[in-house]
């Protein structure tokens, strides 16, 4: 996925739009958020690789709920892998915003074609968990253009033909959806394998998502 940055409105001649009473404070908040993004690295724990954003990149094309969810799989195999940092944004006035200003710093991972074994996804609803399971039999979960925006990712990872330090706008291994904005630190590889995958995500999208043996229900514990 790419993620969006906020910009102060400008006229075509380059001058700023007329000030309103709270404009100075708003611009101050925007500058503070940009500074936080540039100062905080997000780490892919399994490979020990740092992903640092120069500015926000739009990871999803919708406002996130602000409620994190857990995803696990015994194995993930993918072809066409890309990863870069970004910011996801909640809907204006979201009760989940807290002191974040409605923004979450994430690591965006894109896989052109992916298979997952024993997929589990859960979200804590407060006192109970909504749990989704699939791919526990002979058939695996399959996805194309799979994009996840994560704050934590762990597992035992292996990559082939990995490139680290690319400008995100030049990535080409995961297809058009695997490119980020110019000036953003990124990495890509031909293939990725992660055993014992565990993610904390704020968003997931896919072009196609096939979930054989899908089971959905509520549980006292998550994945």
């Amino acid at each position: 996925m790419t993620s969006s940055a906020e910009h102060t409105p400008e006229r075509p001649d380059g001058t700023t739009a007329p000030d309103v009473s709270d404009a100075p404070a708003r611009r101050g908040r925007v500058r503070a958020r940009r500074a936080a993004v540039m100062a905080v690295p997000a780490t892919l724990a399994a490979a020990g690789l740092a992903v640092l954003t120069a500015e926000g990149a739009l990871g999803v094309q919708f406002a996130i709920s602000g409620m994190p969810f857990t995803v696990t799989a015994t194995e993930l195999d993918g072809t066409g892998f890309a990863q870069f940092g970004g910011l996801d944004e909640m809907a204006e006035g979201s009760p989940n915003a807290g002191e974040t200003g409605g923004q979450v710093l994430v690591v965006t991972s894109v896989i052109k074609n992916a298979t997952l074994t024993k997929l589990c996804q859960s979200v804590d609803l407060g006192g109970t968990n909504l749990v989704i399971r699939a791919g526990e039999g002979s058939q695996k979960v399959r996805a194309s253009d799979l994009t996840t925006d994560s704050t934590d990712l762990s597992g035992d990872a292996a990559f082939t033909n990995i490139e680290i330090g690319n400008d995100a706008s030049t990535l080409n291994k995961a297809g058009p959806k695997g490119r980020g904005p110019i000036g953003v630190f990124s990495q890509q590889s031909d293939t990725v394998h992660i055993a014992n995958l565990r993610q904390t995500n704020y968003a997931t999208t896919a072009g196609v998502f096939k979930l054989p043996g899908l089971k959905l229900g509520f549980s006292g514990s998550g994945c």
Side-chain angles (χ1 to χ4, degrees):
M1 301 144 244
T2 65
S3 205
S4 72
E6 299 179 60
H7 297 278
T8 303
E10 293 187 355
R11 294 194 181 99
D13 62 2
T15 62
T16 58
D19 287 340
V20 293
S21 58
D22 65 342
R26 185 168 61 252
R27 287 196 294 270
R29 290 195 296 271
V30 171
R31 286 194 294 268
R33 290 169 191 164
R34 287 178 178 170
V37 172
M38 288 188 284
V40 182
T43 303
L44 174 58
L49 303 175
V51 179
L52 178 64
T53 62
E55 60 180 58
L58 177 62
V60 291
Q61 300 296 326
F62 52 82
I64 63 170
S65 70
M67 297 177 65
F69 55 95
T70 299
V71 174
T72 65
T74 57
E75 286 188 306
L76 177 150
D77 286 285
T79 58
F81 172 78
Q83 190 175 69
F84 47 88
L87 285 172
D88 282 351
E89 299 202 29
M90 303 175 205
E92 185 175 356
S94 171
N96 299 318
E99 297 180 354
T100 66
Q103 295 180 322
V104 180
L105 179 64
V106 296
V107 177
T108 296
S109 303
V110 184
I111 304 176
K112 185 63 178 174
N113 293 288
T115 61
L116 300 99
T117 304
K118 294 185 178 179
L119 174 70
C120 179
Q121 176 180 301
S122 65
V123 57
D124 187 348
L125 301 177
T128 189
N129 293 268
L130 174 62
V131 180
I132 297 173
R133 298 181 185 276
E136 296 185 323
S138 59
Q139 293 183 301
K140 298 182 180 182
V141 171
R142 297 184 180 277
S144 63
D145 294 324
L146 178 65
T147 306
T148 58
D149 284 8
S150 312
T151 53
D152 291 290
L153 188 157
S154 64
D156 301 312
F159 305 90
T160 59
N161 297 323
I162 191 168
E163 301 171 3
I164 303 171
N166 310 58
D167 187 295
S169 68
T170 68
L171 299 180
N172 57 14
K173 292 181 182 289
K177 293 189 177 182
R179 285 196 289 268
I182 191 168
V184 173
F185 185 99
S186 66
Q187 59 190 23
Q188 65 175 355
S189 64
D190 288 345
T191 69
V192 57
H193 172 82
I194 303 178
N196 304 314
L197 171 69
R198 187 174 189 86
Q199 293 177 303
T200 300
N201 293 344
Y202 276 85
T204 297
T205 65
V208 175
F209 210 4
K210 296 183 178 181
L211 301 166
L214 174 66
K215 298 176 183 178
L216 184 152
F218 294 96
S219 173
S221 59
C223 298

